[in-house]
Amino acid sequence: MKKIAMVLSIFMIVCLCSCASKPSREILRDNPSTEIREALHLDDVQNGVSLNSSLDKSKEYADVKIATNPSESLFYQTIDLDEYMGQRFKQINLKICFFNGRIPTSDVTAFMQEMNHTEYGITEEKVGFSFEKTESITGLLFEKLSISYGISLPKGYEKKDNDPAKLVVAYLPTYCTYNDGTQDCTKVFIFVPVYYAFVYSSTLNDYTKGMKNYPLVMTEEGLLPSQSSED
């Protein structure tokens, strides 16, 4: 009897140690400023529609939402290229933008997989905006959305006198949730580059017509600015 009791005691200790060793997930929530929330319709994104309408929430899952009218949340910013043109840089990395620098890479990877899903992922048709396309100087990133995407200068794209060179990058705000099967661990906004165009000041309007301009101002850590919990 003592031997059985000893075995049970050891089994219970092993179970308890095993359970205790499982790391707890940090709960992450975004708190964008009122200005950026209103300018980019982030409430509409947060309360929008899931890419996967048949998402099984009875187990671990990643959920990505976009606004019901995603073209209204779409925005672009421009990057001045003149000062770099003489250096003949080889590549520009278009990166996703977010408010929280503590998002686990595994979560972001899961979100990107949802965005690129062959059946329900983000597409130009789903965004509801017709991007201007010109061979070699523009690019759609749908189906290849990623944490970082490298693009090269088009052949023949050079600095011009009195006509500044600019890179247009269009972003789509998404609201992403990771649930570990018991609770929502991560609920964050991720702005995803979906389109780019190498243009000049004189042709800028041809590639941005119908899209709002919103220059992203990043913190020193490379993040979008958030309100403090006291705000």
Side-chain angles (χ1 to χ4, degrees):
M1 192 70 178
K2 289 183 179 180
K3 186 175 182 180
I4 295 174
M6 183 179 295
V7 171
L8 288 174
S9 297
I10 292 173
F11 178 73
M12 290 176 66
I13 291 171
V14 170
C15 284
L16 289 172
C17 290
S18 176
C19 293
S21 65
K22 184 178 180 180
S24 58
R25 284 286 308 243
E26 180 182 9
I27 305 301
L28 300 179
R29 300 289 186 269
D30 277 346
N31 189 26
S33 69
T34 301
E35 189 276 331
I36 193 171
R37 184 178 283 276
E38 292 179 350
L40 300 181
H41 301 276
L42 295 188
D43 284 343
D44 293 338
V45 178
Q46 186 170 343
N47 299 316
V49 293
S50 296
L51 295 179
N52 184 1
S53 59
S54 302
L55 187 64
D56 182 1
K57 294 187 177 181
S58 65
K59 54 185 179 180
E60 177 184 10
Y61 65 84
D63 181 30
V64 176
K65 288 183 177 181
I66 58 176
T68 304
N69 296 310
S71 62
E72 293 183 359
S73 64
L74 188 72
F75 69 97
Y76 77 92
Q77 69 170 355
T78 57
I79 300 170
D80 296 329
L81 297 179
D82 269 3
E83 63 179 295
Y84 306 108
M85 297 293 274
Q87 302 174 23
R88 300 309 303 170
F89 55 90
K90 294 182 179 180
Q91 184 171 279
I92 301 171
N93 292 320
L94 304 182
K95 298 182 179 181
I96 60 174
C97 301
F98 40 84
F99 296 93
N100 199 314
R102 301 192 307 276
I103 310 172
T105 301
S106 57
D107 289 9
V108 180
T109 299
F111 298 147
M112 304 312 295
Q113 289 175 344
E114 289 294 292
M115 296 179 199
N116 289 315
H117 198 281
T118 55
E119 294 180 7
Y120 53 73
I122 298 173
T123 62
E124 184 179 12
E125 292 72 25
K126 186 168 285 188
V127 172
F129 187 88
S130 181
F131 296 92
E132 185 66 27
K133 305 172 191 68
T134 300
E135 188 176 357
S136 81
I137 71 169
T138 65
L140 290 175
L141 303 181
F142 300 106
E143 298 181 1
K144 47 191 174 184
L145 302 172
S146 60
I147 297 173
S148 180
Y149 186 86
I151 58 175
S152 301
L153 283 178
K155 187 177 180 179
Y157 183 74
E158 299 176 345
K159 185 175 180 179
K160 293 183 178 181
D161 293 336
N162 304 316
D163 198 1
K166 295 181 179 293
L167 174 64
V168 173
V169 184
Y171 292 87
L172 180 71
T174 66
Y175 190 66
C176 304
T177 300
Y178 169 76
N179 186 293
D180 68 356
T182 62
Q183 64 178 334
D184 291 340
C185 300
T186 302
K187 296 177 77 70
V188 295
F189 291 98
I190 295 179
F191 298 171
V192 188
V194 295
Y195 168 81
Y196 67 87
F198 287 95
V199 304
Y200 295 95
S201 287
S202 62
T203 58
L204 176 63
N205 290 338
D206 296 336
Y207 295 86
T208 58
K209 191 178 301 181
M211 229 189 309
K212 77 166 69 68
N213 177 224
Y214 189 86
L216 294 175
V217 179
M218 314 296 280
T219 67
E220 292 182 358
E221 294 77 23
L223 303 172
L224 295 169
S226 295
Q227 296 183 115
S228 67
S229 58
E230 289 80 18
D231 288 349

